[in-house]
């Protein structure tokens, strides 16, 4: 079988960045400029622990609440339609993220749960990663985790922030015991195998190793499509024997099952070979002995990163091939 290739490009410093002044706040802190007073009312948090709503108590002011959740008072008033100078009544439910509805950079429709927490979103044309994370009060890393991908940003936003794409904004609850099994990594530090323990599930493995359920089932044909996984199951976390579009050649592996060498096939590209074997820098394992080139292997189409077929290259940093 041939699996669709890598789903997201490497981060690029030239694009949008997530707005962080709304995110990651898990508990009230003392309000700046308000002595030691902190907002002490009930808080409604999302699945990542971000505070999305707060209910005021006696003594709260907009400045106290805003400072407790690292917001400006102007933002708190804007999110809740509170006119300048108006005080707070106890029992007022306040939004700690923008008011519902489209904003610049995040103009698509969103679904909410019964508590008003945003749960999913459909990307609209001209959306940006920064706009989406700002509107829903989460970080880019949390958005990646919710969608079980390594990261969400790529140059030009041609994959993840793509019009019509359905994004998850929250993660499912997983057993607190999950994710503590043994991990086998390659020499680049990429996880290759995971041995399950009691409490593991497809979701818990997916969130930890950023692989969707569909990918895990493709990588592990013998794995049942069941939410729970028996303890002691060795789960492959890379395509491995499953050919990937742009990386359809053969490979060798060591006794631990970690790939060591790869023989290129027609149509292979550097990027897809790296994706198939979870290699962060293919060229680092294939340095030339002389000259300024970054690698010794040959390209059929250098601008597109297409490799000449029939070359045996290293996919293990601790067992490089140097020529």
């Amino acid at each position: 079988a041939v699996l669709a290739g890598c789903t997201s490009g490497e981060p690029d410093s030239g694009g949008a960045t997530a707005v962080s002044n709304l995110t990651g706040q898990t508990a009230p802190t003392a309000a700046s400029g308000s002595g030691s007073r902190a907002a002490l009312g009930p808080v409604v948090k999302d699945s990542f622990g971000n505070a999305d709503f707060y209910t005021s108590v006696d003594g709260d002011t907009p400045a106290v609440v805003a400072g407790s959740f690292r917001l400006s008072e102007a933002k708190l008033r804007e999110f809740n339609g509170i006119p300048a100078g108006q005080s707070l009544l106890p029992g007022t439910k306040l939004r700690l993220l923008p008011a519902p509805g489209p904003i610049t950079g995040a103009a698509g429709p969103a679904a909410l749960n019964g508590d008003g927490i945003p749960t999913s979103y459909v990307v609209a044309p001209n959306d940006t990663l920064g706009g989406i994370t700002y509107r829903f009060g989460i970080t880019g890393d949390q958005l990646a985790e919710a969608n079980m991908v390594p990261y969400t940003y790529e140059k030009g936003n041609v994959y993840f922030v793509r019009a019509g794409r359905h994004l998850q904004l929250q993660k499912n609850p997983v057993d607190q015991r999950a994710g503590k099994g043994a991990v086998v990594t390659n020499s680049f530090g990429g996880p290759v195998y995971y041995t399950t323990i009691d409490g593991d599930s497809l979701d818990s493995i997916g969130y930890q190793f950023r692989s969707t359920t569909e990918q895990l089932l493709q990588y592990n044909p013998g794995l049942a499509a069941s939410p729970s996984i028996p303890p002691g199951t060795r789960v492959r976390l890379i395509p491995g024997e499953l050919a990937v579009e742009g990386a359809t050649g053969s490979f060798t592996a060591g006794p631990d099952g970690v790939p060591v060498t790869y023989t290129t096939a027609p149509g292979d590209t550097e990027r897809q070979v790296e994706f198939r074997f979870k290699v962060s820098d293919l060229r680092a394992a294939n340095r030339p002995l002389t000259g300024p080139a970054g690698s010794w292997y040959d390209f059929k189409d250098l601008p597109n990163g297409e490799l000449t077929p029939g070359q045996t290259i290293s996919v293990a940093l601790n067992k490089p091939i140097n020529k």
Side-chain angles (χ1 to χ4, degrees):
V2 176
L3 178 68
C6 184
T7 58
S8 183
E10 290 292 344
D12 181 277
S13 60
T17 55
V19 178
S20 60
N21 65 326
L22 303 181
T23 61
Q25 183 64 34
T26 59
T29 57
S32 175
S34 304
S36 59
R37 174 82 162 78
L40 302 175
V43 178
V44 177
K45 301 178 182 179
D46 68 10
S47 63
F48 297 102
N50 301 314
D52 284 359
F53 296 94
Y54 171 76
T55 301
S56 61
V57 296
D58 190 40
D60 279 342
T61 66
V64 164
V65 175
S68 295
F69 294 99
R70 300 179 185 175
L71 288 171
S72 68
E73 183 178 343
K75 285 292 184 186
L76 183 72
R77 290 184 180 276
E78 175 191 330
F79 296 166
N80 294 278
I82 303 172
Q86 181 175 308
S87 59
L88 287 180
L89 293 175
T92 303
K93 187 176 183 181
L94 298 169
R95 295 184 62 85
L96 304 175
L97 67 169
I103 65 171
T104 301
L112 312 176
N113 67 12
D115 293 322
I117 302 293
T119 57
S120 63
Y121 175 70
V122 179
V123 179
N126 302 316
D127 276 0
T128 64
L129 178 61
I132 293 169
T133 54
Y134 178 81
R135 176 177 169 183
F136 300 113
I138 59 177
T139 67
D141 188 65
Q142 289 168 347
L143 185 62
E145 183 178 354
N147 292 275
M148 300 182 184
V149 296
Y151 35 76
T152 56
Y153 183 70
E154 64 177 351
K155 186 175 181 179
N157 288 333
V158 296
Y159 170 75
F160 198 82
V161 183
R162 182 177 61 195
R165 181 175 173 83
H166 191 277
L167 302 181
Q168 296 301 316
L169 302 174
Q170 305 298 327
K171 60 180 181 177
N172 295 327
V174 297
D175 195 309
Q176 291 186 347
R177 298 169 295 172
K180 298 179 174 62
V183 181
V184 175
T185 62
N186 62 21
S187 52
F188 292 91
V192 177
Y193 291 100
Y194 173 73
T195 301
T196 61
I197 63 168
D198 189 29
D200 273 323
S201 64
L202 288 171
D203 269 348
S204 70
I205 295 173
Y207 290 131
Q208 181 174 357
F209 298 107
R210 305 298 174 85
S211 295
T212 65
T213 295
E214 180 184 13
Q215 286 175 324
L216 290 173
L217 293 175
Q218 286 179 311
Y219 301 167
N220 300 272
L223 197 63
S226 170
S228 61
I229 302 175
T233 302
R234 195 182 200 216
V235 180
R236 182 183 288 112
L237 302 172
I238 63 173
E241 295 177 0
L242 184 67
V244 170
E245 182 181 353
T248 59
S250 59
F251 72 97
T252 65
D256 56 0
V258 175
V260 176
T261 67
Y262 174 73
T263 301
T264 57
D268 281 358
T269 66
E270 275 187 311
R271 174 171 169 167
Q272 292 302 85
V273 172
E274 290 176 337
F275 170 71
R276 180 175 174 184
F277 300 106
K278 202 158 283 188
V279 170
S280 57
D281 186 354
L282 190 63
R283 298 189 181 195
N286 296 276
R287 296 295 188 197
L289 293 175
T290 60
S295 62
W296 59 262
Y297 45 74
D298 296 323
F299 289 87
K300 181 179 179 181
D301 184 350
L302 183 58
N304 293 323
E306 184 177 343
L307 301 165
T308 300
Q311 303 178 93
T312 297
I313 60 179
S314 173
V315 289
L317 191 59
N318 60 344
K319 294 181 180 179
I321 297 176
N322 303 118
K323 292 184 179 181

